[in-house]
Amino acid sequence: MFDALSDRLEDIFTRLRGRGRLSEKDVDQIGREIRQALLEADVNVKVARSFIERVKARAVGAKLHEALNPAQQIVKIVHEELVATLGGETGKLTVSSKPPTVILLAGLQGSGKTTHAGKLARHLKSQGRQPLLVGADLQRLAAVDQLRTLAQRIDVPFFSESSDPVTVARKSLDEAARLGRDYVIVDTAGRLQIDTELMGQLRDVRDAVGPHNTLLVVDAMTGQEAVNVAVAFDEAIGLDGVILTKIDGDARGGAALSVKEVVGKPILFAGTGEKLDEFEVFHPDRMAGRILGMGDVLTLIEKAEETFDDEQKARAEEILREGEFTLEDFLEQLRQVKKMGPLQNVIGMLPGMPKEVKEADLDDRELARVEAIICSMTPAERLKPAIINGSRRTRIATGSGTSTVEVNNLLKQFGQMQQMMKQMGVMGRVMQKKAKKNKKKGGRVTPKGTKPPTSKSPGTKGGFPGLGPGGGMPDLGDLGGFPGLPKR
Amino acid sequence: MDVVLIAVAALMLIAVVGAFAFRARSRADHRRGAIEPPPSQVLVEPPPAPLEVEPAPVLTEPRPAALDVGERARLRDRLGKTRAALAGYLRSVTGRAVDDDVWDELEEALLLADVGVGTTSDLLDAVRARAAELKVRDADEVVALLRSEIEGLLDANPDRELHATPGRTSVWMFVGVNGVGKTTTIGKLAAQQIAEGKLVVLAAADTFRAAAAEQLGLWAQRTGSEIVRGDEGADPGSIVFDAMTSAAAKGADLLLVDTAGRLHTKHNLMAELEKLRRIVERTPGALHEVLLVIDASTGQNGLQQARQFADAVDVTGIVLTKLDGTAKGGIVLAIQRELKLPVKAVGVGEAVGDLIEFDAREFSAGLFEGDS
């Protein structure tokens, strides 16, 4: 969501590249550019100002230390500052020592409170908790129906009644006690922060349930207004955290930065889609990484993890280990990649992708063409593309409704991919050996409780250091932009 | 195709590596017992179904009182009511001579109103040129120039009418991202049109969001409109088709099509919207308006929304909702500037009469009211 911002910063730094160190004028110039980028990303004017002051102060100070490379230095500072601003503990709800833990959701109309009440319940349920959903939005037509339907879908009990929000909220606690639920999620009606009457009602609801977590639900597309909303809700009911919704769009989400800055409470969760499972813990470091165009590999890996089943993963391991990769595998992977969502979005999360690729208009239909070409091959051809001669090419082209040129192209690219996989395989084995060596020396510490990988499963922990949760993925960036792939 | 292949290859690489790492991790987790299901509770849980409580009857019953469209709210009144407590943003500017600080404050006012960096600098450049030309010294006059510049921009193509052809069924489609207020806007419009003696049919083509059809159904009850709806998850195309048939058979004056909120970045959902439009267009001349609903608190992403929706379904105008808050909806200036899409209606409250006509003068005045 911060893609365009990262482009802007990249532009600035490209201009800076090749120069020895930063002059004060440079710092001012960078400050202005970052400001414009932040404003275009909907960061509040005032928040942008203080953010830039911090960056500038550090940049000027840093200049006193011997600067390595000005661009890198600024990137690092902006990145750290973004992480610091967006950061805090994420995904951590305050748990009441005496159940139930009460979560109150509040926000403007249409920010996604009801949907995210459902998502949060599903999230808690998947962690083995027992939430109760409470529909205290008696304002909007059918809001209660909506929450009830969501509750049914995820098989979580639901409570509401046609009295008033405060009564509903109070009675929901009894209901939770009766049913032995350990979490209560209260959905409230959307309201404008300047509507004193409704804000007063919200306060009453809060007092009736005594929430352990009062969460503000904020639309990632919100503009300058986000600050006013956050401040007013915080003053009225005291916020403990924020849920940022609709980040699957292309809004750059400066609202996240604004809200975090003025309220100072963590952004706990992020809504990443319309479906109930499209909900994740907010990752400030990832978000900051995205701002700076570092890609979002961890999210991608998590997505891959969800999409690929065990058998496919086993096969993937084998491919990587053996370095042998057939068109059959490629077809399989292609189908999985398709499941991960629109190509454009997924590509956006990749680090080190050439700008041309990121900006290319990736049509998912192209995938279908590739699929069609491979499907028009015989099994023998898929296993051994070398046997595909001229007449086979013509047949494949006709069968898939493409041209021989396209078939040739695919085969050529595939050859390069095979090459790449082989290299990866070699690298994997080398690193595996290294890791084993290290272990013998007792050098590398494995996470608590894990045994060193058996010989059958390669030592991935050793092979890809830093891939653990929250870690970066330094190795990948150093692969030199995917060897074997033509730079366009 | 090359690019696509590169992309897939890179993704695959990531996926393979990722799958690899996760396998190891999940094995580790398993050993730790971290993903073991929690011990089952001794407490026997009753099934969730019987817990449900019927929705508030007060909601399901028509509320004729609320339907009294009566006096339509005026934009200025609304803005005035909600912003009365706020000091005029530019009060500090008043009476001062024009200097850099004044320009900075004007810039900040526009930026805070979500007008956006590009549109703001264009507007200020134009005003600067005018001010130099007219040798303006006083800050108040600069503000006046800026306001007239904004009004000029907004009134460049002032077709703010919601079109309909008398004697036949005219169709208005409502599109937009999630949560902007499409269904509520339709409810208000239906009430207003019925008050004018029109026969109105609503098409509940939002079959995705839970209870969206119920919401529109309640509006139909309240307003006395007909409604065509299907089951949740039904094909919205079939609902639009049925609604077209039904509206024609009933001789309805207006068919208002409610569509599911969708982010403009979702190709397949935008394609679905194109399909809905094509279905309406099977009856030549029936489609009169395709209205993009935008939340006044939307930031710069609003422009992107407008571009994508305009591209997909050829939007004819904007409905700007939730303008009764402190959000100023300045993004419509950027939209107007780039896409020449007029604002055709404004939502300023929850009552039926709170959907009103847009007025460039009052809107531009509102941009400078209040500080945040």
Side-chain angles (χ1 to χ4, degrees):
Chain A
M1 77 202 232
F2 282 115
D3 286 349
L5 179 52
S6 67
D7 286 349
R8 286 203 65 90
L9 293 180
E10 261 171 32
D11 282 350
I12 303 170
F13 298 136
T14 316
R15 260 183 283 143
L16 274 178
R17 224 160 265 161
R19 278 206 260 146
R21 45 165 66 211
L22 291 174
S23 68
E24 204 149 328
K25 217 176 127 202
D26 286 338
V27 175
D28 279 347
Q29 168 70 12
I30 291 164
R32 265 200 300 282
E33 295 282 2
I34 296 178
R35 172 179 186 258
Q36 180 153 352
L38 292 175
L39 289 177
E40 280 174 4
D42 287 325
V43 175
N44 184 276
V45 177
K46 290 162 187 177
V47 172
R49 193 181 297 146
S50 62
F51 181 84
I52 290 159
E53 283 313 313
R54 289 205 300 273
V55 171
K56 262 164 64 174
R58 287 192 51 186
V60 173
K63 190 184 61 178
L64 301 175
H65 306 290
E66 195 49 35
L68 317 158
N69 170 318
Q72 282 170 3
Q73 214 179 354
I74 296 288
V75 174
K76 191 160 164 284
I77 292 169
V78 176
H79 181 263
E80 284 171 1
E81 210 50 57
L82 281 170
V83 174
T85 312
L86 289 168
E89 281 196 64
T90 61
K92 290 256 162 64
L93 293 165
T94 307
V95 182
S96 166
S97 53
K98 188 170 148 260
T101 298
V102 180
I103 303 168
L104 182 69
L105 299 183
L108 295 182
Q109 289 95 339
S111 53
K113 285 174 298 304
T114 307
T115 304
H116 283 79
K119 286 182 178 183
L120 191 56
R122 187 193 166 277
H123 173 79
L124 288 170
K125 192 176 176 223
S126 73
Q127 294 187 331
R129 311 278 175 233
Q130 300 177 320
L132 170 71
L133 277 169
V134 180
D137 178 358
L138 307 180
Q139 191 92 8
R140 203 195 75 210
L141 296 183
V144 171
D145 289 338
Q146 186 183 348
L147 193 62
R148 187 209 322 272
T149 310
L150 294 177
Q152 273 167 4
R153 238 181 252 170
I154 54 176
D155 195 18
V156 158
F158 169 82
F159 174 80
S160 187
E161 61 170 37
S162 55
S163 48
D164 64 280
V166 180
T167 313
V168 169
R170 194 170 40 239
K171 284 192 181 167
S172 73
L173 293 185
D174 301 336
E175 189 69 13
R178 192 174 71 81
L179 299 173
R181 309 305 289 187
D182 55 7
Y183 277 83
V184 175
I185 302 171
V186 183
D187 177 33
T188 62
R191 64 201 78 215
L192 287 168
Q193 79 277 12
I194 51 167
D195 189 327
T196 42
E197 191 185 325
L198 282 179
M199 290 305 276
Q201 182 205 62
L202 189 58
R203 247 191 310 271
D204 294 344
V205 170
R206 179 200 61 185
D207 294 343
V209 291
H212 307 91
N213 299 275
T214 304
L215 306 184
L216 179 68
V217 181
V218 179
D219 186 331
M221 292 180 279
T222 314
Q224 300 290 323
E225 181 71 356
V227 163
N228 298 338
V229 174
V231 168
F233 272 89
D234 194 30
E235 276 170 8
I237 54 170
L239 299 175
D240 299 306
V242 174
I243 298 179
L244 189 67
T245 65
K246 309 182 203 170
I247 69 166
D248 48 329
D250 56 359
R252 299 180 211 159
L257 200 66
S258 306
V259 170
K260 183 68 202 342
E261 178 97 348
V262 296
V263 182
K265 298 288 164 27
I267 301 170
L268 297 171
F269 300 101
T272 56
E274 296 185 336
K275 301 196 189 79
L276 283 169
D277 57 349
E278 292 174 316
F279 181 73
E280 58 181 40
V281 167
F282 180 79
H283 301 284
D285 47 343
R286 293 186 195 178
M287 196 64 86
R290 272 162 82 164
I291 295 173
L292 291 170
M294 291 175 178
D296 190 1
V297 184
L298 290 170
T299 303
L300 196 61
I301 290 174
E302 269 174 17
K303 238 183 183 165
E305 167 71 5
E306 277 168 24
T307 319
F308 286 61
D309 65 32
D310 282 345
E311 205 178 305
Q312 287 155 346
K313 276 176 225 158
R315 176 71 193 129
E317 272 191 30
E318 210 180 299
I319 292 171
L320 196 53
R321 203 165 54 240
E322 309 296 336
E324 273 178 28
F325 180 57
T326 66
L327 276 167
E328 198 74 62
D329 296 321
F330 182 54
L331 182 63
E332 186 59 41
Q333 305 282 353
L334 193 74
R335 287 179 173 154
Q336 295 304 320
V337 166
K338 262 168 77 177
K339 276 194 220 160
M340 287 167 71
L343 205 48
Q344 195 98 54
N345 294 3
V346 186
I347 290 290
M349 298 182 200
L350 275 177
M353 284 302 276
K355 216 174 179 184
E356 293 77 37
V357 176
K358 270 190 181 169
E359 281 172 5
D361 192 15
L362 292 174
D363 191 344
D364 283 54
R365 271 171 294 189
E366 285 287 342
L367 289 184
R369 293 169 79 86
V370 174
E371 207 179 323
I373 292 175
I374 300 177
C375 287
S376 300
M377 296 177 184
T378 65
E381 286 166 346
R382 289 182 211 178
L383 290 176
K384 209 174 165 205
I387 63 168
I388 302 177
N389 58 21
S391 76
R392 283 179 192 255
R393 276 166 216 249
T394 316
R395 192 204 75 240
I396 292 165
T398 318
S400 58
T402 56
S403 64
T404 44
V405 180
E406 281 172 281
V407 176
N408 285 339
N409 241 333
L410 173 66
L411 289 173
K412 202 173 115 205
Q413 297 275 341
F414 177 71
Q416 286 168 332
M417 256 183 253
Q418 259 181 329
Q419 234 14 70
M420 182 176 82
M421 285 297 170
K422 271 204 183 105
Q423 286 173 16
M424 286 291 291
V426 171
M427 225 172 60
R429 279 196 295 276
V430 170
M431 277 194 267
Q432 197 180 325
K433 274 182 200 154
K434 269 191 195 162
K436 271 186 187 158
K437 244 188 205 165
N438 283 348
K439 243 168 249 141
K440 268 182 199 155
K441 286 180 198 161
R444 190 174 170 80
V445 182
T446 46
K448 232 181 211 173
T450 53
K451 283 176 195 155
T454 57
S455 60
K456 252 192 159 181
S457 60
T460 47
K461 282 283 178 195
F464 296 93
L467 242 183
M473 197 173 172
D475 294 323
L476 208 66
D478 298 337
L479 288 182
F482 307 106
L485 285 174
K487 288 245 156 99
R488 299 191 85 214
Chain B
M1 188 193 278
D2 288 359
V3 174
V4 171
L5 286 176
I6 294 173
V8 170
L11 280 178
M12 247 173 36
L13 191 60
I14 297 288
V16 169
V17 172
F20 220 163
F22 262 85
R23 220 172 131 78
R25 193 203 291 182
S26 64
R27 261 197 305 268
D29 284 349
H30 193 69
R31 286 199 192 94
R32 274 201 295 274
I35 48 174
E36 263 177 42
S40 56
Q41 297 262 330
V42 186
L43 201 97
V44 181
E45 252 183 66
L51 298 175
E52 287 172 21
V53 175
E54 278 306 302
V58 66
L59 287 183
T60 52
E61 274 166 25
R63 279 193 285 187
L67 286 183
D68 185 9
V69 178
E71 283 282 303
R72 286 210 206 159
R74 289 178 62 217
L75 186 52
R76 194 188 310 159
D77 296 346
R78 287 292 167 172
L79 299 179
K81 185 183 100 187
T82 55
R83 292 176 190 161
L86 305 164
Y89 184 78
L90 294 174
R91 201 159 288 165
S92 58
V93 172
T94 306
R96 277 163 52 187
V98 185
D99 54 18
D100 281 355
D101 285 351
V102 169
W103 290 110
D104 282 352
E105 278 177 53
L106 287 177
E107 184 195 31
E108 185 161 318
L110 290 172
L111 290 174
L112 278 172
D114 287 317
V115 172
V117 177
T119 312
T120 295
S121 63
D122 277 11
L123 282 169
L124 289 179
D125 286 349
V127 173
R128 259 195 207 99
R130 290 273 296 154
E133 197 182 303
L134 299 172
K135 297 204 169 44
V136 170
R137 295 264 157 78
D138 187 48
D140 288 340
E141 288 173 55
V142 172
V143 175
L145 284 178
L146 180 54
R147 279 190 53 185
S148 81
E149 193 69 35
I150 291 168
E151 283 161 30
L153 175 60
L154 286 169
D155 277 334
N157 55 334
D159 176 16
R160 308 205 184 279
E161 198 188 331
L162 290 167
H163 296 274
T165 308
R168 60 169 302 177
T169 306
S170 304
V171 182
W172 298 350
M173 272 179 81
F174 295 80
V175 301
V177 299
N178 316 63
V180 287
K182 286 178 292 298
T183 308
T184 306
T185 299
I186 289 178
K188 291 175 185 171
L189 264 179
Q192 294 179 1
Q193 293 293 328
I194 285 169
E196 286 175 21
K198 304 267 177 59
L199 180 57
V200 178
V201 176
L202 310 179
D206 179 357
T207 55
F208 182 84
R209 203 193 74 210
E214 277 78 8
Q215 190 183 348
L216 196 68
L218 293 172
W219 272 112
Q221 274 184 29
R222 277 175 70 171
T223 59
S225 327
E226 304 279 335
I227 181 167
V228 177
R229 53 181 288 188
D231 293 330
E232 214 170 285
D235 172 26
S238 71
I239 289 163
V240 172
F241 182 84
D242 289 350
M244 291 291 290
T245 320
S246 162
K250 290 187 173 104
D253 298 297
L254 263 183
L255 170 63
L256 308 181
V257 180
D258 185 22
T259 64
R262 64 202 73 215
L263 289 179
H264 50 286
T265 47
K266 310 257 157 119
H267 292 296
N268 49 348
L269 294 180
M270 294 305 278
E272 179 193 271
L273 205 55
E274 286 172 38
K275 181 177 147 196
L276 296 186
R277 187 188 157 109
R278 282 199 301 276
I279 293 170
V280 175
E281 283 177 328
R282 280 190 203 165
T283 312
L287 187 62
H288 283 68
E289 299 284 353
V290 179
L291 297 167
L292 174 64
V293 184
I294 288 188
D295 184 325
S297 69
T298 308
Q300 298 312 300
N301 190 244
L303 185 57
Q304 196 59 21
Q305 291 171 24
R307 283 187 194 129
Q308 299 291 330
F309 277 99
D311 193 39
V313 288
D314 209 359
V315 171
T316 58
I318 305 282
V319 178
L320 187 63
T321 59
K322 312 181 199 172
L323 201 60
D324 47 333
T326 50
K328 305 208 167 82
I331 189 63
V332 298
L333 279 178
I335 294 172
Q336 172 86 47
R337 170 169 160 261
E338 182 179 317
L339 298 164
K340 313 278 180 262
L341 287 174
V343 182
K344 294 200 165 187
V346 179
V348 290
E350 305 218 327
V352 169
D354 289 341
L355 189 79
I356 59 176
E357 285 166 12
F358 180 78
D359 182 303
R361 276 184 63 83
E362 291 173 9
F363 179 80
S364 75
L367 284 179
F368 298 106
E369 278 171 17
D371 194 1
S372 44

